Amino acid sequence: MAALAHHHRVLSFTSLATPRTRLPFASSSSPPTHAGLRGARVLRHAFGGGSAPPAASSSLEELSRSCTTWSWRGMRVNYLVRGEGLPVLLVHGFGASVAHWRRNIGVLSESNTVYAIDLLGFGASDKPAGFSYTMETWAELILEFLDEVVKRPTVLVGNSVGSLACVIAASDSTRDLVRGLVLLNCSGGMNNKAIVDDWRIKLLLPLLWLIDFLLKQKSIASALFGRVKERENLKNILMSVYGNKDAVDDELVEIIRGPADTEGALDAFVSTVTGPPGPSPIALMPGIKVPVLVLWGDEDPFTPIDGPVGKYFSGLPSELPNVRLHMLEGVGHCPHDDRPDLVHEKLLPWLASLPSATEPEVAVT
């Protein structure tokens, strides 16, 4: 189990865990649709029936009531929108959902229009049978969401796999849909098969190939997924991923468990873990010209700062003038939920410093 978690962030549900770790858009004044109520029911289940949130969090019940859905290629995508100002889209990581941003939505929406989305296969969004999940598909979803729902240049904020999806979206955008990028411990791929230059992954490759084979056996995958979802296992995984252990509460565990119990979650899990890793951020970042803010927890066991991806991003500001980097001491893989105060301290001034969409593009420092 430990090896499996280290490999695919699978057991860790890397971003599966919301707080530290991944609800579709609608007018903030529009009433929830039938699909929106469906999303609310999923979230309430994930939130353990709507128990009282910590003081620093937005009300989970309120977030669930604010959800609605957007139809993308005939599939329902869950999202939330709140606030006014510069549009910001929050994109969760593997296994997480909109609720993973519970500690950020309230603060960010005081000065921005905040959108948070459940990627296809996660949260309250559809999990179609037999669907092959790829990084490129999620990037396409993000761009079409910006085009059809937001309809304004938007700052993309992603964690883990969500960060990589944002990088791909920014590199593919030809219509000025992306205003800026905020990357929180960006993943090197949809799964760790992308990080073959890391000696730790090289040592595990034979085991990882075996795990991929076993996960394609339905009965084995179901049994493993069931073990992963057990509360105690999830909590132990999250404790290993977070630097701030106090952030790993029962609510966080339930935020992950709820969506994982819905139909199609097992297939999404297997497809993500065994599928192609997708494009590398190392290959894409040099082509991105919009302002970029990189925030990196220095105690991340999945994308460690001394690994190939971490080393690349730590040296990026000296190579690209549009990139700003801040290391977050004592923080793990999901900084926004692990230590939201440190993230807001760096993120809010950076957002405020962005030139308007009509001003010439300059490096933001």
Side-chain angles (χ1 to χ4, degrees), residues 17 64 66 73 78 81 118 122 124 195 202 212 219 237 269 294 304 340 356:
S64 72
S66 300
R73 302 180 184 180
N78 190 53
V81 59
D118 283 345
F122 299 107
I195 319 299
K202 287 181 178 180
D212 277 6
S219 59
I237 290 167
F269 171 85
V294 179
S356 68

Side-chain angles (χ1 to χ4, degrees), residues 74-87:
M75 297 171 286
R76 294 171 297 187
V77 174
N78 190 53
Y79 76 93
L80 166 150
V81 59
R82 177 180 295 181
E84 296 182 0
L86 174 71

Side-chain angles (χ1 to χ4, degrees), residues 185-361:
N185 288 63
C186 184
S187 171
M190 189 169 73
N191 46 57
N192 280 344
K193 290 193 290 290
I195 319 299
V196 293
D197 291 335
D198 191 325
W199 64 269
R200 288 160 287 206
I201 300 301
K202 287 181 178 180
L203 288 177
L204 287 174
L205 272 178
L207 176 59
L208 302 184
W209 291 330
L210 173 61
I211 290 171
D212 277 6
F213 172 77
L214 293 176
L215 283 176
K216 291 177 181 179
Q217 318 306 310
K218 188 77 173 182
S219 59
I220 296 175
S222 180
L224 175 61
F225 193 55
R227 288 290 304 277
V228 170
K229 293 188 298 180
E230 292 178 5
R231 285 185 175 85
E232 196 59 32
N233 287 338
L234 280 178
K235 189 163 188 176
N236 288 338
I237 290 167
L238 292 169
M239 289 292 283
S240 72
V241 172
Y242 274 65
N244 174 21
K245 309 305 180 185
D246 291 338
V248 181
D249 54 15
D250 291 339
E251 186 175 75
L252 171 58
V253 174
E254 291 306 317
I255 285 172
I256 298 171
R257 272 180 50 85
D261 279 336
T262 59
E263 185 177 358
L266 171 59
D267 289 344
F269 171 85
V270 172
S271 179
T272 303
V273 170
T274 63
S280 166
I282 295 175
L284 298 178
M285 285 302 298
I288 293 176
K289 306 306 179 185
V290 298
V292 180
L293 175 65
V294 179
L295 302 178
W296 208 280
D298 69 351
E299 292 188 4
D300 183 355
F302 291 107
T303 49
I305 194 60
D306 64 344
V309 176
K311 286 181 178 178
Y312 173 76
F313 275 101
S314 65
L316 208 52
S318 64
E319 299 179 15
L320 301 178
N322 59 318
V323 177
R324 180 78 170 173
L325 167 73
H326 294 284
M327 296 300 303
L328 305 179
E329 185 176 353
V331 179
H333 186 64
C334 305
H336 60 290
D337 190 63
D338 193 327
R339 285 294 305 275
D341 55 326
L342 297 182
V343 170
H344 298 155
E345 179 183 298
K346 303 300 182 185
L347 175 56
L348 291 173
W350 184 86
L351 288 172
S353 71
L354 288 175
S356 68
T358 58
E359 294 178 24
E361 201 68 69

